[in-house]
Amino acid sequence: MTFAYSWGGLARAGLRPIDEHAAAHPPGGTSPPCPQAQEETMSRRFAITVLAIYTLTLAAAAAGRATLDRVLASSRHTSRVVGYGQIRYGGAGPERWALRFRRERRVVLTLRHQLAARLDRLVYLVDAFQCIHRYEGSWTANTGNGYRGGLQFGSREWRLYGGRYAASADQATPSEQIAAGITYHAVAGFYPWPSSARMCGLR
């Protein structure tokens, strides 16, 4: 009886660590996480993340370099002109409009100069015939010698150069007579009014 009790006590004493281990690690259950295993997992994830970021950076740099090389290569094949405060590429972009603007501006300036020169010439001729009129007669002169008006137009000359204004020079206005005189001057100069032109200093 005493032996049985001792054996049972020994058995219980020997099995207690096993029972405690079984209770701490039940069959089919998951063991609690180990701090060292957690640190290794986090280190592995960090390394993978850094490697991915480095790979993406290299890919982006390579793509940017390829794009820059294409741009530089295309710029070498174009006629690049630097001057007058601008950079132009032959036949591309706003250069076409700038070229058109400069061409039309040259045309406008040429026409302006021509118009100014013609206006100056017209003013000069108006003043000249005003002076000739002072030595020839009144704008309504009809002396019966075949010459009429302030510039003393003959009937034939008036018909050629002023007939669209009136039937005879003395019936036309002073401005119409001067207009006819300018048209006549384009053909014969001041030759039809030799004395008056000389007294006015005209040649």
Side-chain angles (χ1 to χ4, degrees):
M1 188 68 181
T2 305
F3 177 78
Y5 173 77
S6 299
W7 175 256
L10 289 175
R12 285 194 297 272
L15 293 178
R16 187 178 294 114
I18 298 175
D19 294 339
E20 291 176 356
H21 179 74
H25 303 284
T30 58
S31 61
C34 178
Q36 185 177 359
Q38 287 181 349
E39 291 180 0
E40 291 179 357
T41 303
M42 292 179 62
S43 299
R44 190 179 300 111
R45 289 179 181 175
F46 179 75
I48 292 173
T49 303
V50 171
L51 181 60
I53 293 174
Y54 180 71
T55 304
L56 292 175
T57 304
L58 290 180
R65 181 63 183 176
T67 304
L68 180 61
D69 291 340
R70 286 197 301 272
V71 171
L72 293 177
S74 63
S75 65
R76 284 194 293 269
H77 292 295
T78 57
S79 56
R80 184 172 183 266
V81 180
V82 181
Y84 298 103
Q86 64 179 352
I87 299 176
R88 300 181 290 109
Y89 288 91
E95 182 194 357
R96 187 177 307 164
W97 294 101
L99 181 62
R100 177 181 176 183
F101 169 78
R102 289 192 294 270
R103 183 172 60 247
E104 293 184 356
R105 185 171 182 270
R106 284 195 299 268
V107 172
V108 169
L109 290 178
T110 302
L111 291 176
R112 183 182 299 174
H113 291 319
Q114 292 178 354
L115 180 60
R118 291 185 180 183
L119 286 175
D120 291 341
R121 181 65 174 173
L122 183 60
V123 171
Y124 163 75
L125 290 175
V126 169
D127 291 340
F129 282 110
Q130 288 280 7
C131 181
I132 289 175
H133 150 68
R134 289 198 297 267
Y135 295 101
E136 292 290 338
S138 68
W139 296 111
T140 59
N142 182 9
T143 58
N145 61 354
Y147 296 95
R148 300 184 180 187
L151 301 178
Q152 291 294 288
F153 271 99
S155 58
R156 178 178 178 275
E157 288 77 12
W158 180 258
R159 224 176 18 253
L160 290 175
Y161 305 109
R164 62 181 177 274
Y165 301 123
S168 59
D170 59 317
Q171 298 177 13
T173 64
S175 60
E176 291 172 343
Q177 294 183 48
I178 291 176
I182 292 174
T183 306
Y184 194 6
H185 173 272
V187 177
F190 292 112
Y191 178 77
W193 308 274
S195 301
S196 300
R198 185 172 59 255
M199 287 185 286
C200 290
L202 303 173
R203 294 184 295 177

